[in-house]
Amino acid sequence: QQVTALAENGSGYNVGLVNIDGSAARLQGGSFTGRGGESGQGIVNTAPGSTLEAESITALGEGGTGLNTGFSNRIEAAAVLRGGVFTGRGGDQTGGIGNSQDSRITVEDVTTIAEHGTENYSLGNYDGATMTVRGAAVFARGGEANYALSNEFNVTMAAESVTALAENGSSANYGMWNVNNAQATV
């Protein structure tokens, strides 16, 4: 409860919390930050059987040259996020919350922000994943291209009570991006 975790200035990956290989984590409050290097990530939940449940946390990934993301759920992992703020900032690509590679995630009453990267994906669902959203404020801004809600590559998304804003991209802004055999109920 109320943990502050910071990882920064490694040349490669800087991750505030990694939950991997069938592990289980339950978080109540607190702050998780990954900053600098090639990739800054607040939290990564990954690999088959890994589960993570969080309530009212802050997760920030920033300052990496490549990918910066607040929360990444991938490779057959499962997560439930209630409340909280998830931010990715700067670099080639940013993400507030990303769910991919046959993973499952439920988010309730969250705020996601992806900003000032070349491409910004605020709340994204990819590659066979399943996402359920019950209340979210979703922002993608700055850089070249912005995707507030992104749903692509054989995925399923069910979303209700979402405010999505994509703005100030120099080439493209999408409030919702639903492509490549994606199924969305909004």
Side-chain angles (χ1 to χ4, degrees):
Q1 293 185 0
Q2 302 299 328
V3 169
T4 299
L6 171 64
E8 65 181 349
N9 299 326
S11 62
Y13 295 92
N14 295 285
V15 184
L17 169 67
V18 176
N19 190 59
I20 191 170
D21 291 335
S23 297
R26 186 162 186 218
L27 314 174
Q28 175 67 45
S31 171
F32 302 85
T33 302
R35 181 179 295 133
E38 180 182 326
S39 179
Q41 299 183 62
I43 298 174
V44 174
N45 186 46
T46 186
S50 297
T51 61
L52 187 141
E53 185 175 347
E55 187 169 341
S56 301
I57 65 169
T58 300
L60 169 65
E62 68 178 355
T65 57
L67 173 65
N68 295 293
T69 188
F71 185 89
S72 178
N73 191 55
R74 61 182 187 233
I75 312 174
E76 299 177 33
V80 176
L81 306 176
R82 294 183 186 93
V85 179
F86 303 86
T87 305
R89 183 178 298 130
D92 292 332
Q93 189 176 90
T94 69
I97 294 174
N99 184 50
S100 65
Q101 297 165 290
D102 300 309
S103 294
R104 298 177 324 279
I105 192 168
T106 298
V107 299
E108 299 175 354
D109 301 321
V110 299
T111 299
T112 65
I113 303 165
E115 62 185 1
H116 309 307
T118 304
E119 292 185 333
N120 303 294
Y121 298 86
S122 192
L123 184 55
N125 194 39
Y126 313 100
D127 303 316
T130 302
M131 177 179 281
T132 302
V133 183
R134 296 184 191 102
V138 181
F139 305 97
R141 57 188 173 223
E144 291 180 14
N146 296 303
Y147 305 81
L149 281 175
S150 179
N151 196 45
E152 55 186 305
F153 304 114
N154 304 306
V155 293
T156 302
M157 176 188 286
E160 62 183 63
S161 300
V162 175
T163 299
L165 175 63
E167 63 181 350
N168 299 325
S170 63
S171 67
N173 298 290
Y174 303 98
M176 182 164 185
W177 178 258
N178 190 59
V179 297
N180 296 318
N181 203 32
Q183 305 300 311
T185 303
V186 181

